Amino acid sequence: MSNGASDTKRHPVEERWETFHRWGPYGLLFVGSLAAAATADLLMSTADRWAAVALVGGAVLLQLCWGHLRRTRPGPSAAGAVYYFVRWGFAFALTWLNPFYAFFAVCGYFGAQAVLPRRLVKPGLFATAVVMAGSQSGGLPPKNAMGWVLFGAVLAINIVLLTVFSHLAAQEDERSRVQIATIAELETTNARLQQALDENAALHAQLLLQAREAGVADERRRLAAEIHDTIAQGLAGIIAQLQVVTSSTDPDLVREHLASAQSLARHSLGEARRSVQNLSPLDLEHDALHKALKKTVADWGTRHGVRADFTVTGTAVQLHDEIEATLLRIAQEALANASRHAQASRVGVTLSFMGDEVSLDVRDDGRGFDPLGLPARSGAGGFGLDGMRARAERIAGSVTVESEPGHGTAVSARVPLVPHDH
C-alpha cells in the first residue's frame, strides 16, 4: 500500500523512468536476442548459441530477483552495485558472443545513477562504454591490431560523449534540485505569508474592536466632562442663587437672584443640548475666545461677589474651535474650583498669545492646598484637575497647578496656537 501511495506522488516523468528501469532490461534483452538469433549463423558457433541461451536465462533470472529486491532497497545501495556489475558481466559475455547483445548492455548507461553509489557511477559507466565500444568496433575481442586501434578510437569517442552527456545530466540534475529547493522555499514562504495575513486579519479585527471600544469610552468621557462643566456647574450656581433667595427678605434682592437663577438655567440647558450634539460651547457661538472669557469671568465675579479680572497679552487671534472650547472649559472648571474650595477674595485670569503657543492662567488668593496631598489620578477621565489635564492632553497641551496652603492657587494651561480654519 505504501509503495502505491508513493508512486501516485511521483512526477509523470519519474513514473516513466521507473517503468523503464523495471521493464526496459527485459525489452532490450529481447531485442538483442532477436538480433543475435538473426545473425547467429554468421557470428556464433553451436557452443556460443548454447552459452548465449544460458546467459540470457541467467540475465532474466537476475532481473526477476532484482525486481523483488529493489522494492526494499530503493535508490543507490550496495545491493544495487552488485546487481549492476553482475548485469554488466552478463552483457559483456553476451556481447563477446554476439555484438548485437549490446542492445542489452546499453542499460548500463541509464541505470547507473539509479542503483550505484556515487563513487561507483563513473567506473560503471566506463565499463558499459567498453562493452558498447567493443560492439561498435566489430565485436570482442578485436581480431587484429587494426581492430584494437578501432576499438580504442570508438572507446575514446564513447568516453567523450559519455563525459559530455554526464556533464549535461549533472547540470540538469542541479537545475532540478535548485528548482525543487526554490519551490519548497516558495511554498514555505507562501505558508508563512498566509499565516501572517491571517494574523494581520485577526489583528485588524481586534484593532477595530478596540477602536470602537475606545471611541465609545472617549465619547462617554466627553459627555461626562461636558455634563460636569455645564449642567453640574449650572445647577450648583442655581442652588447658590436659590439659597440666597430663601434666606433674604428683600424683594429686590430676591428678584435679582431669581433672574440670575433663570438665566443660569437657560444657559445650562443650551450648553447641555450643545454638548450632546458635540458643538462648541454656547459662549463661543458668536464671540472669539478672549471675548467669551471676558464675559465668563465678569459673570462669575458678579455671581459670587468676588473681584475677578481678565487680561489679554499678545495679539489675540481666533483659534481653532477645539482649542477655544478646551481653554474655555478649563477656565470654567478652574473658576468653579475657586468658588467651591478657595474662599478667595480676588481672582485673575490671563490669556496670553505667545508665538506658537497659547497659555491660560487662573490665579486666586484663596486658602490654597497641597498638590502632593491630592489622590492619585485614576486614569478614568475624572473631573476637577484631572479633567482639565485630560482636556489639554487631547490637543497636545498640558496643565500645571501651583498651590500652597494659605497662599492661593495658580492653574496654568498651555496649548499649541492653531489658528481658526476659515
Side-chain angles (χ1 to χ4, degrees):
M1 295 296 290
S2 61
N3 290 336
S6 62
D7 288 344
T8 59
K9 296 180 180 179
R10 290 194 181 101
H11 192 275
V13 175
E14 294 179 348
E15 291 181 354
R16 295 190 188 100
W17 274 114
E18 178 65 22
T19 301
F20 174 79
H21 290 317
R22 182 181 302 172
W23 302 110
Y26 293 106
L28 292 172
L29 180 60
F30 178 73
V31 172
S33 297
L34 288 179
T39 58
D41 292 338
L42 298 174
L43 301 175
M44 301 174 69
S45 63
T46 302
D48 292 341
R49 295 176 185 179
W50 285 109
V53 170
L55 290 171
V56 168
V60 171
L61 183 61
L62 174 66
Q63 288 300 136
L64 290 172
C65 293
W66 176 245
H68 292 285
L69 188 63
R70 67 190 298 273
R71 297 175 185 174
T72 59
R73 290 174 173 82
S77 64
V82 172
Y83 157 73
Y84 182 90
F85 285 107
V86 171
R87 187 185 64 183
W88 175 87
F90 280 113
F92 179 82
L94 287 169
T95 306
W96 188 284
L97 296 175
N98 190 311
F100 285 101
Y101 276 110
F103 283 108
F104 177 59
V106 79
C107 293
Y109 281 149
F110 300 102
Q113 289 84 0
V115 296
L116 290 177
R118 190 167 185 175
R119 68 181 184 279
L120 296 178
V121 171
K122 289 183 178 179
L125 292 175
F126 177 77
T128 300
V130 169
V131 177
M132 297 303 298
S135 171
Q136 294 162 357
S137 61
L140 293 173
K143 303 298 187 292
N144 49 43
M146 182 56 66
W148 281 103
V149 172
L150 180 60
F151 169 74
V154 174
L155 179 60
I157 293 173
N158 274 273
I159 291 175
V160 170
L161 293 175
L162 183 62
T163 302
V164 171
F165 287 117
S166 296
H167 179 68
L168 293 176
Q171 286 185 331
E172 186 63 27
D173 289 343
E174 180 63 25
R175 188 179 300 110
S176 298
R177 283 193 293 270
V178 171
Q179 289 178 346
I180 292 173
T182 302
I183 291 173
E185 185 177 354
L186 287 175
E187 290 177 349
T188 302
T189 302
N190 287 337
R192 291 176 179 173
L193 179 59
Q194 185 61 45
Q195 182 181 2
L197 290 175
D198 294 340
E199 292 176 354
N200 285 340
L203 180 60
H204 181 66
Q206 183 179 359
L207 289 177
L208 287 178
L209 178 61
Q210 291 177 350
R212 285 194 294 267
E213 292 176 350
V216 171
D218 186 67
E219 183 64 11
R220 288 175 177 172
R221 285 192 295 268
R222 183 191 70 80
L223 286 174
E226 291 292 333
I227 291 172
H228 173 267
D229 293 341
T230 57
I231 299 177
Q233 292 185 13
L235 290 175
I238 293 171
I239 291 173
Q241 299 299 319
L242 293 178
Q243 286 177 340
V244 174
V245 169
T246 57
S247 61
S248 175
T249 57
D250 184 352
D252 294 333
L253 185 61
V254 168
R255 282 193 298 270
E256 178 184 350
H257 285 281
L258 285 175
S260 180
Q262 289 177 341
S263 176
L264 278 174
R266 293 191 186 96
H267 185 274
S268 297
L269 179 60
E271 289 285 17
R273 289 171 177 169
R274 301 181 69 83
S275 297
V276 172
Q277 299 173 7
N278 198 18
L279 300 177
S280 298
L282 185 62
D283 294 335
L284 294 173
E285 186 174 9
H286 303 292
D287 292 325
L289 175 63
H290 61 286
K291 295 181 179 179
L293 280 175
K294 183 177 182 180
K295 293 181 179 178
T296 298
V297 173
D299 291 344
W300 182 89
T302 301
R303 191 163 57 250
H304 293 88
V306 176
R307 177 181 173 181
D309 301 318
F310 175 71
T311 306
V312 178
T313 64
T315 302
V317 296
Q318 188 171 1
L319 303 173
H320 189 277
D321 292 345
E322 185 68 19
I323 293 178
E324 288 196 342
T326 298
L327 290 176
L328 179 61
R329 293 304 190 203
I330 291 175
Q332 290 172 337
E333 180 64 25
L335 291 172
N337 289 341
S339 64
R340 285 195 297 264
H341 309 296
Q343 297 180 356
S345 61
R346 183 175 179 180
V347 173
V349 178
T350 303
L351 181 65
S352 303
F353 295 85
M354 305 177 295
D356 59 351
E357 190 177 62
V358 181
S359 70
L360 173 70
D361 298 289
V362 181
R363 304 170 307 280
D364 67 65
D365 60 355
R367 60 183 182 179
F369 62 95
D370 181 8
L372 299 178
L374 292 177
R377 184 177 179 180
S378 64
F383 310 114
L385 296 179
D386 282 350
M388 289 188 284
R389 290 192 180 99
R391 285 183 178 278
E393 289 171 0
R394 280 199 291 268
I395 57 172
S398 62
V399 170
T400 58
V401 178
E402 297 179 0
S403 184
E404 185 178 349
H407 294 82
T409 301
V411 177
S412 178
R414 291 177 176 269
V415 299
L417 193 157
V418 181
H420 177 70
D421 295 331
H422 295 286

